Amino acid sequence: MGEPITCLIVDDHEVVREGLRLALSRTENIRVVGEAADGSAAVTLARRRKPDVIIMDVRMPGKDGLQAAKEITTEV
């Protein structure tokens, strides 16, 4: 088995983030490298951690998931 897939979880609901983290932690080839509660924090973490995959809520207060995804993908 190669390197694990790195994943960033972004959702404004802590319970959702915890559930996703728990589910993903049971998978050997996926490693959660960070969590964020809003789009701005997601952009910052994505720049720093460079995850392979981002699981992100679309509707969040402040910078929503679509705005954050657009910002992240234009930088890559």
Side-chain angles (χ1 to χ4, degrees):
M1 186 183 300
E3 290 291 314
I5 297 167
T6 57
C7 179
L8 175 63
I9 299 171
V10 184
D11 196 293
D12 56 324
H13 296 97
E14 185 176 355
V15 170
V16 173
R17 292 193 314 268
E18 288 178 12
L20 286 168
R21 183 181 62 242
L22 180 62
L24 294 171
S25 70
R26 295 179 178 173
T27 305
E28 290 181 23
N29 61 339
I30 297 177
R31 183 171 54 101
V32 176
V33 294
E35 296 179 28
D38 60 53
S40 296
V43 172
T44 300
L45 275 174
R47 285 179 182 150
R48 202 171 7 164
R49 304 281 169 87
K50 308 257 190 262
D52 298 317
V53 175
I54 300 174
I55 300 172
M56 184 159 26
D57 188 6
V58 175
R59 293 184 185 158
M60 294 182 287
K63 186 180 292 187
D64 67 26
L66 296 176
Q67 292 169 319
K70 184 175 181 179
E71 192 172 330
I72 291 166
T73 58
T74 58
E75 293 180 5
V76 176

